[in-house]
Amino acid sequence: MYWLDDTLKKQIKNIVQKLKKSQKVHIVSHIDADGITSASIAYKALERAGNEVSVEFIKQLESDKISSLRDAEHELIWFTDFGSGQLEALNGIDCIITDHHEPQGTAGMPTGVQRGNILSYANSTVLELNPHRYGINGATELSGAGTTYLVAREMGDNKDLSKLAVVGAVGDLQTVRDGKLIGKNREILQDGTDGRYIECRKETTLYGLESRPIPKVLQYASDPVLPGLTGDGTACTNFLTDLNIPLKEDGDWRKWYQLSQGEKKKILSAVGKRMLEHGYPPSYVESLVGEVYTFPGEDKGSMVHEAKEFSTLLNSCGRYKKGEIGLKICLGDRDEYYNKAMQLLQGHRQVLVDCMKYVESVGITRMDNLQYFHGGDRIPDTVLGTVVGMVLGSGNVDRDMPMLGFTESGEKEGLKVSSRGTKQLTDAGLDLSIVMSNCSKQLGGEGGGHNIAAGAFIPEGTEEEFLSLADEIIKKQLS
Ligand code: C5P
Ligand code: C5P
Ligand code: ZN
């Protein structure tokens, strides 16, 4: 669809023009890894272009926040990794949006029809770039950081920032479905490998290749769950010992990246064999191998050498109100702020362990078309989505229905809802973005996101009603 590609290029140029006319730019971004890398890309590109730049990170672009931004009268605001769900509310504020969430009013529409919607915003003060409007899937082919990078690349010599765009896409789990970056993300990856900012190799898709002791890589594996290994540390150690894999070297735990090719192959074949014996389809075994992205400029074994782990480090900052620390790391700090982030990472890991234990204690409730848990006030709203995803991938629940979670722990009165699906479910018609946005709207809340992962904020005490509305819509989507 070359005409869409043309209009995409034109829109990027419009945005660059608008940026050139402004002296001061205020960046507002999301608190997760994709949001932090998006803001960092915008920051660096603007700084290089000689602009004065300020940044703030927020959980969600809700209406009260939009009002306070309107009152602040910034010369120009650049929203990254959100904004497309709030186009109408943002009108009147001079701003740019580089986002990949489903645009307001277009969720679920086929691409092309979505484009028609741009026209209704033609007189708006908002200039938006969103892949969904140009035939690019914002859940799998381009992240918020990638969308922002497309603008940065047009602003000047900024191809080194492709590295951050890859961290953003990986952090938003855009490689999960295919085991590698696809679509527009791949074009960005190419910029990175051409410039030797990024290396790409075939590897296992398991998490923690540089930071975790090898038994932990297996023990914490989810999606697919490794039969007899996931969740059982002793079994993992015995399994590796039986394969004659030395677990320690000079008293230190060995990491996956330190294994020889032969050792890696031996482990993966044995794991694959086990999965087949347990009746897993071959595609699950194949999903154990994919692409891994590493950064030659960084120290091996650090949290910033490989994209997935880099994104975890950023999440450990942003989700605890320390987005600026993540920003400093993206801008190059490997000293003071890197060390601070490493401390936050310890805390983040502990929070996730505690949340998983709590969910186990309260249990999962199954309805006809969805399953859910209620986190009471024990799960921080900023990690609820991560926890819902981990529960769905834990191997202890069925994956034939989407998983929802509730928490009351936010600063405002009300409930945060998070939802996660699977590829099988979205292929069958599930669109959680529509579920979250419609159901919350009917109850006086707000919500949105992607087909496979979406969230909402709803008034206190409305969870029962929300669940029955959601159950009904999901039933329709999947029938
Ligand atoms: O706000 P944002 O777009 O950055 O977040 C996307 C969310 O979607 C992430 O929390 C990511 O974990 C989730 N996701 C998922 N499964 C996928 C793709 C994305 O849970 N296959
Ligand atoms: O918060 P959570 O991780 O569950 O969010 C999943 C996705 O839904 C993210 O992409 C997030 O930006 C989006 N979302 C949204 N509106 C909300 C809550 C979440 O668009 N009110
Ligand atoms: Zn994102």
Side-chain angles (χ1 to χ4, degrees):
M1 284 201 276
Y2 68 93
W3 60 274
L4 281 179
D5 208 40
D6 254 14
T7 47
L8 170 74
K9 281 185 193 142
K10 243 178 244 161
Q11 185 71 341
I12 292 172
K13 288 213 161 79
N14 291 339
I15 290 177
V16 174
Q17 281 307 319
K18 191 165 172 118
L19 286 167
K20 275 190 183 150
K21 284 187 207 140
S22 313
Q23 179 49 37
K24 282 191 191 166
V25 182
H26 183 60
I27 300 166
V28 181
S29 195
H30 200 200
I31 54 165
D32 69 358
D34 189 33
I36 295 174
T37 48
S38 301
S40 307
I41 291 168
Y43 188 100
K44 200 90 186 180
L46 286 166
E47 200 184 45
R48 286 174 179 166
N51 290 87
E52 265 178 69
V53 203
S54 51
V55 186
E56 74 178 295
F57 294 98
I58 58 175
K59 275 193 273 197
Q60 215 46 251
L61 197 50
E62 282 156 359
S63 22
D64 45 352
K65 182 65 204 177
I66 296 178
S67 306
S68 65
L69 284 169
R70 193 184 298 277
D71 294 343
E73 295 190 356
H74 292 283
E75 184 187 341
L76 179 67
I77 301 183
W78 186 348
F79 293 100
T80 57
D81 197 29
F82 47 32
S84 289
Q86 293 79 18
L87 278 188
E88 236 163 295
L90 289 172
N91 199 7
I93 301 179
D94 230 335
C95 67
I96 284 165
I97 296 172
T98 48
D99 186 16
H100 69 129
H101 291 91
E102 296 207 10
Q104 188 177 54
T106 65
M109 282 187 197
T111 317
V113 176
Q114 293 188 358
R115 260 210 75 243
N117 243 48
I118 300 178
L119 298 177
S120 40
Y121 297 104
N123 295 318
S124 166
T125 59
V126 182
L127 208 48
E128 181 212 31
L129 190 71
N130 186 312
H132 286 284
R133 299 198 190 277
Y134 306 94
I136 300 163
N137 185 337
T140 50
E141 297 178 326
L142 195 64
S143 68
T147 312
T148 309
Y149 172 79
L150 296 184
V151 173
R153 191 171 62 179
E154 188 66 27
M155 287 167 71
D157 190 3
N158 288 318
K159 286 196 178 169
D160 57 324
L161 304 179
S162 56
K163 165 182 170 181
L164 295 174
V166 165
V167 173
V170 167
D172 258 9
L173 306 186
Q174 299 206 331
T175 52
V176 167
R177 207 190 66 181
D178 299 271
K180 60 180 184 185
L181 293 168
I182 59 161
K184 207 75 180 163
N185 276 327
R186 205 136 193 102
E187 182 187 309
I188 297 174
L189 172 66
Q190 188 75 46
D191 282 353
T193 48
D194 286 351
R196 305 199 179 192
Y197 308 114
I198 307 175
E199 279 171 2
C200 159
R201 67 166 198 277
K202 227 175 151 194
E203 238 313 349
T204 179
T205 50
L206 294 171
Y207 178 83
L209 306 189
E210 304 205 19
S211 71
R212 281 182 173 163
I214 321 160
K216 300 268 180 214
V217 171
L218 302 177
Q219 184 185 341
Y220 293 129
S222 68
D223 195 12
V225 165
L226 310 181
L229 296 171
T230 296
D232 189 342
T234 315
C236 294
T237 309
N238 293 340
F239 174 77
L240 292 164
T241 311
D242 288 347
L243 292 172
N244 290 319
I245 307 285
L247 298 181
K248 290 195 175 179
E249 195 171 303
D250 301 333
D252 290 328
W253 285 103
R254 293 174 79 205
K255 311 285 160 53
W256 186 274
Y257 79 100
Q258 295 164 324
L259 297 175
S260 70
Q261 287 305 329
E263 287 176 312
K264 291 181 187 176
K265 219 169 153 186
K266 207 196 258 179
I267 299 172
L268 290 175
S269 320
V271 171
K273 192 163 156 250
R274 226 173 223 250
M275 288 166 77
L276 293 173
E277 281 164 5
H278 279 76
Y280 282 53
S283 63
Y284 279 49
V285 179
E286 283 157 24
S287 76
L288 285 180
V289 176
E291 276 180 1
V292 160
Y293 309 107
T294 52
F295 309 120
E298 306 289 355
D299 288 344
K300 275 190 188 167
S302 75
M303 279 301 286
V304 289
H305 185 251
E306 184 268 319
K308 271 190 216 171
E309 296 192 292
F310 197 147
S311 77
T312 304
L313 189 65
L314 298 179
N315 277 320
S316 309
C317 302
R319 295 184 189 278
Y320 304 88
K321 296 191 181 167
K322 300 279 190 243
E324 343 65 66
I325 294 182
L327 176 80
K328 295 270 191 199
I329 293 171
C330 291
L331 299 179
D333 181 283
R334 295 293 175 266
D335 191 14
E336 184 189 349
Y337 290 94
Y338 180 81
N339 292 331
K340 280 186 183 167
M342 289 302 287
Q343 281 171 10
L344 290 168
L345 175 67
Q346 299 310 318
H348 179 48
R349 289 195 167 137
Q350 192 55 50
V351 166
L352 294 180
V353 168
D354 294 346
C355 289
M356 290 300 280
K357 277 194 192 141
Y358 184 71
V359 175
E360 206 170 311
S361 74
V362 293
I364 306 292
T365 309
R366 271 175 79 91
M367 294 179 57
D368 291 339
N369 306 285
L370 62 81
Q371 48 189 337
Y372 73 93
F373 62 83
H374 203 308
D377 59 359
R378 296 283 295 276
I379 298 186
D381 58 343
T382 51
V383 298
L384 179 66
T386 310
V387 174
V388 173
M390 286 170 70
V391 171
L392 188 59
S394 67
N396 302 324
V397 300
D398 289 326
R399 288 170 64 81
D400 58 343
M401 298 178 169
M403 178 68 65
L404 272 65
F406 296 90
T407 181
E408 300 160 350
S409 82
E411 286 136 26
K412 290 195 304 182
E413 233 178 65
L415 289 158
K416 165 78 202 267
V417 195
S418 278
S419 61
R420 295 292 185 272
T422 63
K423 176 186 175 338
Q424 282 73 21
L425 289 167
T426 53
D427 283 351
L430 178 74
D431 191 336
L432 292 170
S433 162
I434 295 180
V435 176
M436 290 293 122
S437 120
N438 285 9
C439 300
S440 60
K441 218 176 270 169
Q442 288 185 57
L443 300 168
E446 22 195 331
H450 310 283
N451 58 2
I452 200 157
F457 189 77
I458 57 172
E460 215 182 332
T462 58
E463 52 268 59
E464 294 293 327
E465 231 177 311
F466 185 90
L467 283 165
S468 68
L469 288 169
D471 194 60
E472 200 53 38
I473 302 191
I474 294 168
K475 181 180 173 183
K476 279 192 197 130
Q477 289 181 346
L478 292 176
S479 67

